[in-house]
Amino acid sequence: PESSAATVAVTMTKTGALSVRSAPVSWNELEPALAREVKRFPDSPVVLRVDQSVPYREVARLLAAAKGAGAARIAFGTQPLE
């Protein structure tokens, strides 16, 4: 494993585009790609960065994929209030 200081970020844009650590993935590729990163950075949280316009059902799907990939800690990335 590499540095434990890394964050495993999963991003979903308002158009539904997904990425794991800035690498674009499809829904079919999401869980395997995430599992590789969780194995690579076992002490790092998986941070879900989701556009506020994304429907909750899609956020729930992301959560399920993160759990299925073996993520022990899952957090939501937020933007500071202006």
Side-chain angles (χ1 to χ4, degrees), residues 11-23:
T11 304
M12 185 175 201
T13 67
K14 62 184 169 188
T15 62
L18 292 167
S19 63
V20 175
R21 298 195 78 223
S22 300

Side-chain angles (χ1 to χ4, degrees), residues 37-56:
E37 295 303 315
V38 166
K39 192 173 282 189
R40 225 172 119 196
F41 303 102
D43 298 327
S44 298
V46 171
V47 178
L48 304 179
R49 297 170 45 200
V50 183
D51 185 87
Q52 64 184 3
S53 67
V54 171
Y56 179 76

Side-chain angles (χ1 to χ4, degrees), residues 46-50 56 59-60 62-63 74-79:
V46 171
V47 178
L48 304 179
R49 297 170 45 200
V50 183
Y56 179 76
V59 177
L62 279 179
L63 274 169
I74 302 169
F76 286 98
T78 60
Q79 293 182 332

Side-chain angles (χ1 to χ4, degrees), residues 9-12 16-34 36-37 62:
V10 178
T11 304
M12 185 175 201
L18 292 167
S19 63
V20 175
R21 298 195 78 223
S22 300
V25 294
S26 68
W27 274 110
N28 289 338
E29 299 164 331
L30 177 62
E31 198 169 317
L34 199 44
R36 281 191 301 274
E37 295 303 315
L62 279 179

